[in-house]
Amino acid sequence: MLSLFFSLLVINNGYQVGYVNVSEIQAIEVVDIDDDSGILTITLKGNKSEQLAFKCNDKEKWEQSKEFLVKSIYDLSKIMSNKHLDVKLNKEQF
């Protein structure tokens, strides 16, 4: 399950909890593995070669996490870019 706390993305998959500064995120990838689980991968900005990966084995939590990302993509994008965007974002685009 995911949530935003100020500018931190909180990831909790039941046995692992992660806190990621959203302004340090370059990309977020969501992949369904099978009917009941999936993997959330976060790529950080800069010369960091390692990615953060979280696996969720609970179907309900996985669906909630994907719904959260869809609903929050506009806010996440603004924080990820540090609000210094070359283009004007309109919430209706998302």
Side-chain angles (χ1 to χ4, degrees), residues 4-46:
L4 275 174
F5 183 72
F6 294 107
S7 63
L8 289 177
L9 179 64
V10 180
I11 302 124
N12 182 352
N13 62 3
Y15 57 88
Q16 179 181 30
V17 177
Y19 302 91
V20 181
N21 184 341
V22 178
S23 64
E24 294 294 318
I25 296 174
Q26 179 177 330
I28 298 173
E29 182 180 4
V30 177
V31 178
D32 291 326
I33 298 175
D34 52 34
D35 291 341
D36 296 331
S37 65
I39 295 179
L40 170 73
T41 305
I42 298 174
T43 304
L44 299 175
K45 293 178 182 176

Side-chain angles (χ1 to χ4, degrees), residues 70 73-75 88-94:
V70 169
I73 195 67
Y74 176 76
D75 296 323
K88 297 283 185 192
L89 286 181
N90 182 351
K91 194 165 188 163
E92 285 73 41
Q93 291 176 305
F94 291 91

Side-chain angles (χ1 to χ4, degrees), residues 41-86:
T41 305
I42 298 174
T43 304
L44 299 175
K45 293 178 182 176
N47 294 328
K48 300 172 180 86
S49 61
E50 295 181 14
Q51 296 178 330
L52 305 174
F54 299 91
K55 183 173 188 236
C56 183
N57 292 324
D58 184 292
K59 183 176 184 173
E60 184 178 326
K61 284 185 180 182
W62 182 241
E63 291 301 321
Q64 289 174 357
S65 297
K66 291 190 301 185
E67 287 176 24
F68 171 82
L69 285 173
V70 169
K71 290 178 183 176
S72 304
I73 195 67
Y74 176 76
D75 296 323
L76 286 168
S77 297
K78 284 183 73 172
I79 298 170
M80 286 168 58
S81 66
N82 290 327
K83 299 180 180 141
H84 300 294
L85 299 174
D86 294 336

